[in-house]
Amino acid sequence: MAPQISIENIADYVGQNVTIKGWLYNSTHKGKLMFLRLRDGSGMTQGVAFRPDVGDELFETLKGLGQESSLIVTGLVKENNRAPGLPSGYEIGVEAVEVLQNVSDYPITPKEHGVEFLMDNRHLWLRSSQQWAIMRVRTTIKRAIIDFLDNEGFLNIDTPIITPAAAEGTSTLFELGYFDEKAYLAQTGQLYNEANIMAFGKVYCFGPTFRAEKSKTRRHLAEFWMVEPEMAYFDLDDLMGFEERFIEYIVQTTLAKRRAELELLERDLTALEKIKAPFPRISYDEAIARIAAIREATDDPELKEQLAIEWGDDFGSPHETELTKQFDRPVFVYGYPTQVKAFYMEPWPGRPEVCKSVDLLAPEGYGEIIGGSERMSDPDLLIAAIEKHQLPQAPYQWYIDLRRFGSVPHSGFGLGLERTVAWICGIDHIRQTSPFPRTLNRMNP
């Protein structure tokens, strides 16, 4: 009896009869030859049926199969340098086929479809080769994140998804009823992780977070996954050094393990190969000066208008895009104005209008993938910041307590999984990085 195998391991079975359980991605026939593009979730391969070998009845059955028909195929694994697939260079000489379902009128065909149609059929679009490749890259990035942090001695601790107060500003909260009280979907697990580090030193949470921004840009989702490491006894410089090692590991691990998928996505791999520490570091002040110089030098009136900015403003996508064009790897921008950052960030010594914050901007126009800071460690400073932001003190009393009982300098950051996947895959819109994205105008399927 032929062993059942996964297509991704097909190279180990050259010269052997095997069984593959999967689906028909597409097919063509020419005379007495039938070429079946088979997928099983782990990879894709070519099945070749020769009419004299399989018989007229099976050959005609194969000719009548529709896209996405479910099949059990048995045959001999052969090497063929011209055979397409992931992995490429292998095919199966078909000997027997069991048809579990012959599909007709599959809605997503090789022709061009509009984005809205594809998003309406996201449950089926996931089967296409590019979407399949993106999800496999996503899984590898996620595993690389966890492996790196675990190997660095971090403890993974889950934080609440339902919270009583804002952490990143009240304008992006999803409100919900919690019995007889108001509650919100978590924007971040960071505040809880600050409690966790006082018990465990280095921790991270990794899960879904929610932002109610009414944004339609290619960089925003209403629900996304974020990893949030938090570290006791880390200052801002420690934080940046850790982040660059973290990103280098993620990119190089993904490049090593998912090269074939990235090639299928036509990603420029040379750009990823350059992602090695150290990364350049510039202050917000320098970034503002660089943007002003770019604006002055351009002859494009639209770009000139987009790049208008004053000290104290936060960066938009055009600013980040033009800034990162000056570097071939991610760049740190540190020391943002206090007024554009969250209330809990440590003030810069001697410059209260600046905080010890840092964003890591990905190259090639992908913008911010990490936002982090050194956190306030003085309870009086924190209380003053809460009052300045007109937040109620009572829900944050436990957070203030952390500064009263064994406070230490500490830092942390959040990395958005979907933005990181978009950058590493080289795709235009973040919606393709989530299996079932939630955006301003979409909650289905």
Side-chain angles (χ1 to χ4, degrees), residues 137-151 204 206 246-255 257 417 424:
V137 170
R138 177 189 169 112
T139 298
T140 297
I141 292 171
K142 192 175 178 182
R143 171 49 55 193
I145 288 168
I146 292 168
D147 287 347
F148 183 88
L149 294 172
D150 288 352
N151 291 336
Y204 71 96
F206 198 177
F246 184 48
I247 292 297
E248 178 182 344
Y249 180 84
I250 292 168
V251 173
Q252 297 307 320
T253 299
T254 305
L255 190 56
K257 293 187 175 182
L417 177 61
I424 293 177

Side-chain angles (χ1 to χ4, degrees), residues 30-47:
K30 183 177 181 181
K32 296 179 180 180
L33 284 175
M34 185 84 190
F35 298 95
L36 310 172
R37 187 84 180 275
L38 304 169
R39 63 174 193 85
D40 71 346
S42 75
M44 297 186 188
T45 196
Q46 176 174 273

Side-chain angles (χ1 to χ4, degrees), residues 120-138:
D120 288 342
N121 288 278
R122 183 62 173 166
H123 54 297
L124 303 177
W125 192 26
L126 284 168
R127 305 180 189 187
S128 70
S129 60
Q130 287 201 337
Q131 304 308 307
W132 171 88
I134 293 166
M135 290 304 117
R136 285 169 67 83
V137 170
R138 177 189 169 112

Side-chain angles (χ1 to χ4, degrees), residues 86-122:
L86 279 169
S88 62
Y90 303 93
E91 65 184 20
I92 292 180
V94 175
E95 296 177 3
V97 177
E98 180 183 349
V99 180
L100 276 65
Q101 185 184 61
N102 185 0
V103 171
S104 60
D105 300 322
Y106 187 70
I108 300 178
T109 62
K111 71 177 184 180
E112 289 291 325
H113 294 285
V115 171
E116 287 306 309
F117 173 85
L118 292 171
M119 292 305 301
D120 288 342
N121 288 278
R122 183 62 173 166

Side-chain angles (χ1 to χ4, degrees), residues 1-5 16-22 36 38 46-50 53-54 58 62 71-78 91-99:
M1 184 175 179
Q4 180 187 339
I5 70 163
Q16 298 182 46
N17 273 68
V18 300
T19 295
I20 290 174
K21 295 182 178 180
L36 310 172
L38 304 169
Q46 176 174 273
V48 182
F50 186 44
D53 291 342
V54 301
L58 178 55
L62 297 178
L71 311 171
I72 300 175
V73 179
T74 299
L76 182 68
V77 178
K78 305 174 184 178
E91 65 184 20
I92 292 180
V94 175
E95 296 177 3
V97 177
E98 180 183 349
V99 180

Side-chain angles (χ1 to χ4, degrees), residues 84 171 189 227 319 344 371 412:
S171 63
V227 60
H319 306 110
Y344 48 72

